[in-house]
Amino acid sequence: MASATAMLEQPGPSLVPANAVEAAVSAIRAHWSCEATTAVILGTGLGELADELSSAATLSYADIPGFARSTALAHRGRLVCGELAGRPVVMLQGRCHGYEGHSLDTLTFPVRVLAALGIQTLILTNAAGGLNPNYSVGDVMVIDDHIDLMNLWGRHLACRKTSLLKVYDPVLANRAAAAARREDFVLHRGVYVAVSGPSYETRAEYRAFRRIGGDCVGMSTVPEVLAATECGLRILGLSTVTNVACPDKPQTVSAEEVVEVAAIAQPRVRAIICAIV
């Protein structure tokens, strides 16, 4: 049997049929016809935010052609359409990850479907480890830029031709900062380091990621950013800090603890999302 490492090093076959975007859009439209311009992908520990939507329609990923089902903890695998603060919005409760054996096409497929639905603004959230010693558990960081160390089987051809010099929307970042000031909580702005996972980092890796400019580290988001940039979407990235790296005093972190801590930051993330919507 091939090892997990070998699986990550080899290109996974595309699981997305050529007409799958149209089929996925049709499946969603059959349950919800309202036009939304904002969508949110909810990362670890944040899925309950979708439960706050009113007039909602909920579809399991299994019922949407081309959507893969996540095996990650607390990723419920549902698309929820409804209203937040009186505005229509689409929320994805959970995502798939490269370490689950999915191709880059599969990881980015939901973003392409969102763009086809008419989404113009995409808010991406994740749970991340803090590299910056000035961060605290439960803080939220706006992603100003990223460092991609995932090496997910090279890049999709179209993504190779996409400029990544201006990825994250500064206007959306400023609106997020204004929301944090109104609600009186700390909001950082920094660099997200994306790795393939699924294991957490070693002490040497924590030190290395910090030295190359990272403020948080996680195992998602960047593939979606690549697709969203290609589709011309405005992007706001939010990382919830679930632990802060102390290489000289290492602590063991479990997936369950990450979920619990991410939930602490949920009201802060909600305030930002409401400000953007």
Side-chain angles (χ1 to χ4, degrees):
M1 180 179 293
S3 67
T5 301
M7 288 177 61
L8 289 173
E9 289 175 348
Q10 298 299 321
S14 174
L15 304 178
V16 182
N19 61 347
V21 170
E22 292 81 2
V25 169
S26 296
I28 296 167
R29 288 295 185 211
H31 293 83
W32 197 68
S33 59
C34 189
E35 296 292 334
T37 59
T38 302
V40 186
I41 297 180
L42 297 169
T44 301
L46 299 173
E48 290 183 2
L49 285 172
D51 295 335
E52 299 184 18
L53 297 186
S54 59
S55 304
T58 302
L59 288 84
S60 168
Y61 289 170
D63 297 327
I64 306 175
F67 272 55
R69 279 172 278 185
S70 175
T71 62
L73 183 66
H75 287 250
R76 296 169 69 178
R78 305 192 309 175
L79 182 145
V80 184
C81 309
E83 293 186 355
L84 181 68
R87 300 291 299 275
V89 64
V90 178
M91 290 190 175
L92 274 66
Q93 287 182 304
R95 56 162 58 88
C96 291
H97 304 77
Y99 62 75
E100 296 173 88
H102 298 295
S103 70
L104 185 59
D105 284 343
T106 302
L107 297 181
T108 59
F109 180 73
V111 173
R112 302 184 192 283
V113 172
L114 292 173
L117 283 169
I119 296 301
Q120 300 172 15
T121 298
L122 180 61
I123 302 173
L124 297 160
T125 71
N126 61 57
L131 301 170
N132 191 319
N134 295 318
Y135 290 5
S136 298
V137 171
D139 283 353
V140 179
M141 183 190 84
V142 168
I143 302 175
D144 274 337
D145 207 343
H146 70 246
I147 298 171
D148 184 2
L149 300 180
M150 298 184 105
N151 190 27
L152 283 173
W153 326 292
R155 284 288 173 259
H156 186 282
L157 181 60
C159 291
R160 291 194 188 113
K161 297 180 180 180
T162 301
S163 172
L164 299 179
L165 293 179
K166 296 181 180 180
V167 175
Y168 301 94
D169 192 299
V171 175
L172 297 179
N174 289 338
R175 288 169 62 183
R181 288 192 294 270
R182 286 195 302 271
E183 299 296 326
D184 193 26
F185 63 84
V186 173
L187 182 68
H188 304 287
R189 296 178 68 159
V191 175
Y192 177 79
V193 179
V195 296
S196 58
S199 59
Y200 295 118
E201 294 70 34
T202 67
R203 290 181 296 165
E205 287 171 337
Y206 274 131
R207 292 190 183 99
F209 296 159
R210 181 59 184 155
R211 286 171 182 165
I212 63 175
D215 294 292
C216 279
V217 58
M219 306 171 192
S220 67
T221 304
V222 166
E224 297 152 349
V225 167
L226 294 175
T229 302
E230 181 187 338
C231 294
L233 305 186
R234 302 175 68 194
I235 302 169
L236 175 68
L238 301 173
S239 292
T240 60
V241 181
T242 56
N243 66 289
V244 179
C246 298
D248 296 322
K249 295 181 180 180
Q251 296 179 331
T252 301
V253 180
S254 69
E256 290 77 12
E257 289 171 325
V258 168
V259 172
E260 292 176 3
V261 175
I264 297 174
Q266 188 176 116
R268 300 172 181 179
V269 174
R270 182 189 185 281
I272 294 171
I273 292 173
C274 288
I276 300 302
V277 171

